[in-house]
Amino acid sequence: DSAIHALAGAAGGIMAMTATYPLVVLSTRAAVETKNHSKCLDIIEREGLRALYSGLSSSLVGIAVTNGVYYYFYERSRGIILNSRKGAKALSTLESMLAGLIAGSATTVISNPIWVIQASQAVHKSESDSRTSKNTPRTPGMLETVNQILAKDGVAGLWRGIGPALVLVINPVTQYTVFEQLKNILIESRTAKLRARGSKAVPVLRDWDYFLLGALSKLVATALTYPYIVVKSRIQVGQSQASKYRSSLHGLALILKEEGIRGLYKGIGSKVLQSVLTAAILFAGQRRIYELTKQAVTSIAKPATLK
């Protein structure tokens, strides 16, 4: 069951990331650049429409790995917690946070190199463009980007920003905790209405319910953690200014001192929009893919069992 959740999470993540990737590029550049060159029309005019999809391939690999690993560890942790006690088959707030913390930490360590590559590709053109105005440089491929990172910083370069990234485990923890609690509230509310009408039916959440719950939970998580996202993005792309950050907290303090409070929230508009849409599509898509996959596996397993 955990493997099916992982497969569905990976597929749902790919769908969501493909639909919203230009917003990823806009928010990453806005967080990293000190000059205001990250507006959509400016990027298209200077670098062409393809610039909005710089690093898409590595991002799709990243989101598939991230969501697949996260859903696997989350569902495994959830199952262990539920099987270890009697009573309700819904996670409490603390239990949701524990499952999210385990899954988020494992996912961050495993997937960080992929996001370092993606962030480097997403800002490559803008950095090159600031050095020359004669020709628009091409975006390097994944292997070329890996070689550049290894040549500059060694293997450790693939784990740039792991500190703030681990702090940002609180983002999916917050997201999935809010999601689980909102889902429980919604189910309880609909169950109460059914019982009031004398029905013993069990309420079933629709795709639209998962879409809205995913959007709301991600909105809360991103709004709370965005300053750390800015610090992580700057460190991951190897920005020269970020080399002065002695720690995540020092990076936050330095940005606040040099750029003011606005510096901590650069690109938050496109990031919130992208995160909310991605989460909404992911939750709705993951649930639908999970159900279809489980039905297919069950139908295949039945004939094998009869034999």
Side-chain angles (χ1 to χ4, degrees), residues 117-264:
I117 296 167
Q118 181 274 328
S120 300
Q121 289 181 306
V123 302
H124 174 79
K125 282 191 174 183
S126 64
E127 289 184 341
S128 300
D129 190 62
S130 66
R131 292 190 293 267
T132 177
S133 59
K134 293 181 180 180
N135 296 303
T136 301
R138 65 179 180 83
T139 301
M142 287 182 65
L143 290 178
E144 188 177 348
T145 303
V146 170
N147 288 333
Q148 290 174 355
I149 293 170
L150 292 176
K152 181 181 178 182
D153 299 315
V155 176
L158 293 173
W159 274 271
R160 288 192 305 230
I162 189 67
L166 284 171
V167 173
L168 281 169
V169 166
I170 195 174
N171 185 296
V173 169
T174 302
Q175 176 189 352
Y176 281 84
T177 300
V178 172
F179 177 84
E180 285 285 342
Q181 301 316 307
L182 288 176
K183 184 178 74 172
N184 292 342
I185 291 170
L186 186 59
I187 291 174
E188 288 173 7
S189 174
R190 291 183 179 175
T191 301
K193 290 179 180 178
L194 288 171
R195 298 298 177 267
R197 294 200 296 264
S199 173
K200 294 184 178 181
V202 178
V204 177
L205 297 184
R206 301 180 296 272
D207 290 344
W208 184 245
D209 295 321
Y210 282 102
F211 187 91
L212 290 177
L213 291 176
L216 286 172
S217 59
K218 191 61 177 181
L219 177 61
V220 173
T222 301
L224 290 174
T225 60
Y226 191 74
Y228 266 100
I229 293 175
V230 171
V231 174
K232 184 197 73 167
S233 296
R234 293 186 178 191
I235 294 175
Q236 283 187 334
V237 301
Q239 188 195 52
S240 57
Q241 192 177 8
S243 62
K244 296 185 293 184
Y245 303 162
R246 293 194 296 270
S247 65
S248 300
L249 289 176
H250 180 253
L252 291 173
L254 202 58
I255 293 172
L256 188 61
K257 178 182 177 181
E258 296 179 351
E259 303 173 42
I261 191 70
R262 292 182 63 181
L264 294 174

Side-chain angles (χ1 to χ4, degrees), residues 267-300:
I268 190 171
S270 53
K271 180 61 178 178
V272 166
L273 180 59
Q274 181 268 328
S275 296
V276 168
L277 286 176
T278 298
I281 296 169
L282 170 61
F283 276 105
Q286 190 272 342
R287 176 56 52 179
R288 176 60 63 188
I289 295 169
Y290 169 78
E291 291 172 352
L292 292 173
T293 305
K294 191 164 187 178
Q295 288 175 6
V297 171
T298 303
S299 63
I300 293 172

Side-chain angles (χ1 to χ4, degrees), residues 49-124:
L49 186 62
R50 291 183 63 184
L52 295 177
Y53 293 90
S54 300
L56 176 60
S57 58
S58 55
S59 188
L60 292 180
V61 173
I63 201 69
V65 171
T66 297
N67 285 336
V69 172
Y70 191 94
Y71 271 101
Y72 178 81
F73 278 98
Y74 186 85
E75 291 300 325
R76 289 284 291 180
S77 301
R78 182 175 181 274
I80 291 171
I81 291 170
L82 291 177
N83 291 331
S84 67
R85 61 169 172 77
K86 297 179 180 179
K89 289 301 179 181
L91 295 180
S92 67
T93 301
L94 287 178
E95 289 170 339
S96 294
M97 292 179 70
L98 177 61
L101 186 63
I102 294 170
S105 299
T107 303
T108 297
V109 173
I110 292 170
S111 66
N112 196 76
I114 302 172
W115 295 117
V116 170
I117 296 167
Q118 181 274 328
S120 300
Q121 289 181 306
V123 302
H124 174 79

Side-chain angles (χ1 to χ4, degrees), residues 3-45:
I4 298 175
H5 273 289
L7 177 63
I14 289 173
M15 287 169 49
M17 181 60 74
T18 302
T20 63
Y21 191 73
L23 292 170
V24 175
V25 173
L26 292 175
S27 62
T28 302
R29 290 196 180 193
V32 169
E33 293 178 357
T34 54
K35 295 182 179 180
N36 191 23
H37 287 162
S38 56
K39 292 182 179 179
C40 183
L41 292 178
D42 290 340
I43 293 174
I44 293 174
E45 182 180 349

